[in-house]
Amino acid sequence: MGDVDPLMERPMRIALAQIDCRLGNIPANLATHGEALRSAREAAADFTLFPELSLTGYRLRSSINRVMLTDDELQEMTRRLCDAGALGAEQYAAFGCVELSPRAVVYNTTLLIQGCAPAPRFRHRKVYLPSYGMFEEERYMHPGDRFRTLDVLLKDGETWRIGVLCCEDAWHDSAWLIMQARGVDLVLVPSASPGRGVENERLGSQQSWHGILRTQAEFCGCYVAHCNRVGFEDDIHFWGGSAVFAPTGEIVAEGKIMGPDLVLCDLDKRVLTRTRVATPLIADENWDLTLRELRLAREEVVRGD
Amino acid sequence: MQDPRYLLNINPELVRRILVEAIRHTGEAIRGEAVGRWVVNLSGGLDSAIVAFLACEAVGPENVRALLLPYRTSMPASREDAMRVVEALGIGYQVYDITAAVDGLYQSKADDPYAANKRAKGNVMARMRMIFGYEECERWNALMLGTIWGDSASALNLIADLYKTQVRQLARNIGVPQVIVDKAPSADLEPNQTDESDIGFSYYAVDSVLVRFVDMGMLPDEIKADLWATQGDLSIDWDAAVDKLCGVATDAAMRPGLVDIMEYKRRMTPIVPKISRATIELDYRPPKQWGR
């Protein structure tokens, strides 16, 4: 290590593990996770994000019962993941799995783990399970009931407030509003977004996603890290193109379209500060008004319906 | 939502990448081999030509084999066009005349193949080609690549999520010989038969209606109004096209359209790589007997 200015804040290095998953093949997927984690460690990443349902693959349908995991089994999985990826004690990772709760409720869960600690630091159960058009998640899983954040302390003493919006969650403005209200610094968006819409230069899916994430990064004054899957499952393909959006709305790192990739990006707290001071949208937010008017609007609409 | 006028325009490079990846993935998923082998029945038409081109791009010409399967009444031009594809790609091929096999079926029934019902015999020919294809697959440890709607006899129905006008755009991009791109699509069951004369409308007209009905979820009256307002080609009777394809429903009665009537053919399909916003079976899942 050279001379480091003790006053200069160290950036957080995030790795987006844009992987392909084998449907229902947890051992193969664990190996892929391990490879990505080792690469991320070599690249000195503090945090590695995997796509939605990265341990199992996405379209499990009625075979979901073959890959759902209880808390005990998830802890065992965390241990294996840690071993396979040589995860350092200071390193964090977020991966996707099918969680079976003690009351036998099935969730689409993103688990955040630190080093080899067996208990997860944080879990997000996907709230919005799309069940329209080609999607049928709610047929097989149950929605989560909260959007929370976790304060992650990095090894240099810097704290980042992190939230998770899993795929469809990020298509709900209200979820972002909650993230804003919680003062989030970084929103992790794992996804399994199918590619569709081939009329333009870029896939229709990519255009929609980028429009949403760029806007929300600006509105929330936070970083947004989107890790999207690649590969085929039967008939659908996932387009990758994982990216990090700065609070200015700029894309500061971007992965390949339609191929595995490891996207590295340094996130800088000072950028958050500068953007929030220059454009104090969150500080200016009138939460009392918002909550009052939202409640009123809902009551009136419900009455009107 | 997209403007329906532009939905039929595709970015062929994107489509090409998706479909090439679909071939590789399917070969690996079914056979467990990184590079699968594929058999394509080449009719001389556009669909099978483009599938052969994509297969070569995915796994290399050495892993693609073409079958040319003429019946004695097939147009000689069909075979010439199929050979153009073989030569352009440098793939291995076999020509098997299916006349003896098809006529043999009728002989087994003590029927005269010359007097057979045309539609039944056309279907026997199509299925005989499938049998030849599968026999070749077993012999060569390969999978069968299929082409379009209703043709369920394959491991991978590669271009079923594209409209014909989009297939033409892709074909130009990927280098299918121009004569094949330009020729009138035909089942080649009898001389000078074409799909468009069978349907009574051009593929352009049919696709313009379908993209609004299936992809956009527009109602027949909305489709008519939109087509009359936005399409420059006034030689097409859009009302008749919409009625024929989407059916007619009044307060008094309803008649299902071609889209509804053919629904039973679209199930138990092989894998269809998703391209569009409304893929058969995945997004578009109407009842099989709508209106009946």
Side-chain angles (χ1 to χ4, degrees):
Chain A
M1 288 297 227
D3 289 336
V4 178
D5 179 352
L7 295 176
M8 185 177 140
E9 290 179 273
R10 179 182 168 278
M12 159 148 107
R13 180 161 297 169
I14 189 168
L16 308 178
Q18 178 175 303
I19 58 169
D20 188 358
C21 310
R22 299 204 169 237
L23 196 56
N25 190 338
I26 291 180
N29 295 332
L30 262 181
T32 312
H33 281 65
E35 266 169 50
L37 285 173
R38 283 196 299 278
S39 304
R41 185 174 194 180
E42 279 164 28
D46 300 296
F47 202 112
T48 306
L49 174 61
F50 288 92
E52 176 180 17
L53 292 173
S54 56
L55 208 53
T56 58
Y58 176 69
R59 212 153 51 126
L60 299 158
R61 302 212 205 197
S62 54
S63 299
I64 199 163
N65 60 327
R66 300 166 71 174
V67 291
M68 58 196 184
L69 301 170
T70 63
D71 263 8
D72 286 348
E73 289 165 333
L74 277 170
Q75 293 205 3
E76 167 63 13
M77 213 51 75
T78 302
R79 193 188 59 71
R80 290 170 62 186
L81 196 61
C82 176
D83 291 349
L87 206 61
E90 310 275 334
Q91 285 176 306
Y92 295 83
F95 64 96
C97 56
V98 179
E99 179 195 349
L100 179 66
S101 84
R103 292 184 184 282
V105 182
V106 180
Y107 295 104
N108 179 341
T109 296
T110 304
L111 274 194
L112 204 156
I113 59 172
Q114 179 187 4
C116 291
R121 286 292 312 278
F122 183 76
R123 84 178 73 202
H124 172 69
R125 292 165 170 168
K126 187 176 183 180
V127 172
Y128 293 105
L129 302 172
S131 301
Y132 55 83
M134 62 175 288
F135 303 107
E136 45 196 353
E137 287 183 34
E138 205 157 359
R139 190 160 162 180
Y140 303 110
M141 293 179 283
H142 203 75
D145 63 358
R146 65 197 64 177
F147 290 109
R148 300 288 162 84
T149 54
L150 171 74
D151 285 347
V152 167
L153 181 67
L154 296 184
K155 56 174 174 273
D156 63 332
E158 192 174 75
T159 301
W160 284 74
R161 184 160 295 175
I162 293 179
V164 178
L165 298 182
C166 183
C167 206
E168 186 85 356
D169 289 339
W171 285 61
H172 285 257
D173 207 18
S174 50
W176 291 96
L177 197 66
I178 295 165
M179 289 290 122
Q180 267 184 48
R182 290 188 171 276
V184 75
D185 298 317
L186 166 64
V187 177
L188 306 174
V189 184
S191 77
S193 162
R196 46 187 167 159
V198 290
E199 305 85 24
N200 299 309
E201 165 116 24
R202 297 187 307 158
L203 277 170
S205 327
Q206 188 188 10
Q207 291 178 49
S208 301
W209 269 101
H210 279 197
I212 288 167
L213 297 180
R214 152 183 319 220
T215 305
Q216 293 296 353
E218 270 193 276
F219 280 179
C220 296
C222 68
Y223 280 101
V224 174
H226 177 213
C227 186
N228 187 34
R229 253 195 70 177
V230 292
F232 259 85
E233 280 181 5
D234 291 352
D235 38 17
I236 56 177
H237 84 274
F238 305 97
W239 51 275
S242 303
V244 177
F245 300 80
T248 52
E250 290 161 293
I251 293 180
V252 284
E254 192 170 5
K256 273 192 280 204
I257 297 292
M258 290 183 224
D261 206 351
L262 186 77
V263 184
L264 294 165
C265 186
D266 286 340
L267 313 186
D268 192 338
K269 264 280 174 80
R270 290 167 304 174
V271 173
L272 287 181
T273 305
R274 277 201 298 270
T275 315
R276 289 170 182 175
V277 169
T279 315
L281 299 180
I282 313 292
D284 287 351
E285 187 66 33
N286 187 335
W287 289 107
D288 292 336
L289 177 149
T290 303
L291 290 171
R292 188 184 68 233
E293 292 298 318
L294 263 181
R295 186 178 299 279
L296 191 62
R298 279 305 298 161
E299 283 167 2
E300 287 177 4
V301 168
V302 170
R303 270 205 304 274
D305 283 345
Chain B
M1 212 44 183
Q2 298 276 318
D3 185 328
R5 276 176 298 173
Y6 307 119
L7 269 185
L8 284 176
N9 296 336
I10 56 164
N11 175 344
E13 286 297 334
L14 269 181
V15 175
R16 192 167 159 175
R17 285 182 67 182
I18 295 169
L19 295 182
V20 164
E21 196 50 42
I23 296 170
R24 291 187 186 134
H25 171 82
T26 307
E28 200 180 331
I30 296 179
R31 283 276 189 266
E33 296 161 2
V35 178
R37 285 169 156 186
W38 294 91
V39 168
V40 182
N41 286 352
L42 276 184
S43 67
L46 179 59
D47 294 341
S48 57
I50 201 163
V51 166
F53 270 77
L54 289 164
C56 284
E57 189 169 333
V59 298
E62 67 279 12
N63 290 306
V64 179
R65 183 173 294 181
L67 295 188
L68 281 61
L69 302 166
Y71 183 70
R72 67 181 145 70
T73 57
S74 300
M75 303 276 282
S78 300
R79 181 167 164 177
E80 288 161 24
D81 288 338
M83 281 309 296
R84 281 182 223 272
V85 174
V86 166
E87 281 155 18
L89 293 171
I91 51 180
Y93 72 102
Q94 298 286 340
V95 183
Y96 300 121
D97 189 313
I98 65 168
T99 304
V102 170
D103 291 356
L105 180 137
Y106 287 98
Q107 279 156 18
S108 300
K109 299 176 67 172
D111 266 359
D112 176 6
Y114 294 85
N117 173 293
K118 267 185 197 161
R119 178 201 291 253
K121 190 172 163 189
N123 283 329
V124 168
M125 284 157 61
R127 282 154 183 75
M128 196 57 74
R129 293 190 170 107
M130 171 196 89
I131 293 169
F132 272 82
Y134 270 96
E135 201 277 338
E136 195 73 14
C137 285
E138 290 298 330
R139 185 187 291 249
W140 201 42
N141 188 27
L143 295 168
M144 189 83 186
L145 256 173
T147 54
I148 211 157
W149 305 117
D151 226 340
S152 305
S154 60
L156 180 61
N157 199 352
L158 193 65
I159 56 174
D161 205 21
L162 290 167
Y163 291 106
K164 193 70 162 197
T165 47
Q166 297 175 323
V167 171
R168 285 210 186 96
Q169 294 169 55
L170 182 59
R172 281 188 206 102
N173 173 271
I174 207 167
V176 174
Q178 193 65 36
V179 56
I180 296 174
V181 179
D182 291 340
K183 75 194 254 186
S186 165
D188 196 11
L189 299 179
E190 45 197 304
N192 300 320
Q193 178 193 23
T194 70
D195 294 355
E196 294 181 331
S197 62
D198 286 353
I199 304 169
F201 295 96
S202 66
Y203 271 112
Y204 166 73
V206 170
D207 293 353
S208 298
V209 173
L210 290 180
V211 78
R212 285 164 175 78
F213 187 64
V214 176
D215 295 62
M216 304 282 298
M218 292 167 74
L219 297 173
D221 285 346
E222 299 171 334
I223 299 172
K224 289 175 189 172
D226 184 61
L227 286 168
W228 285 117
T230 61
Q231 299 300 302
D233 191 347
L234 296 179
S235 67
I236 299 168
D237 184 345
W238 292 111
D239 288 356
V242 172
D243 288 348
K244 172 145 192 178
L245 292 164
C246 311
V248 180
T250 66
D251 289 344
M254 69 93 75
R255 189 181 74 226
L258 261 185
V259 173
D260 307 312
I261 293 166
M262 294 301 154
E263 196 53 44
Y264 75 97
K265 287 191 175 180
R266 301 194 185 105
R267 302 306 165 97
M268 300 300 292
T269 53
I271 286 161
V272 176
K274 183 173 179 62
I275 300 286
S276 75
R277 287 181 167 75
T279 304
I280 303 298
E281 196 68 74
L282 206 51
D283 308 85
Y284 183 71
R285 313 205 258 193
K288 279 189 198 176
Q289 299 186 338
W290 181 243
R292 281 158 291 159

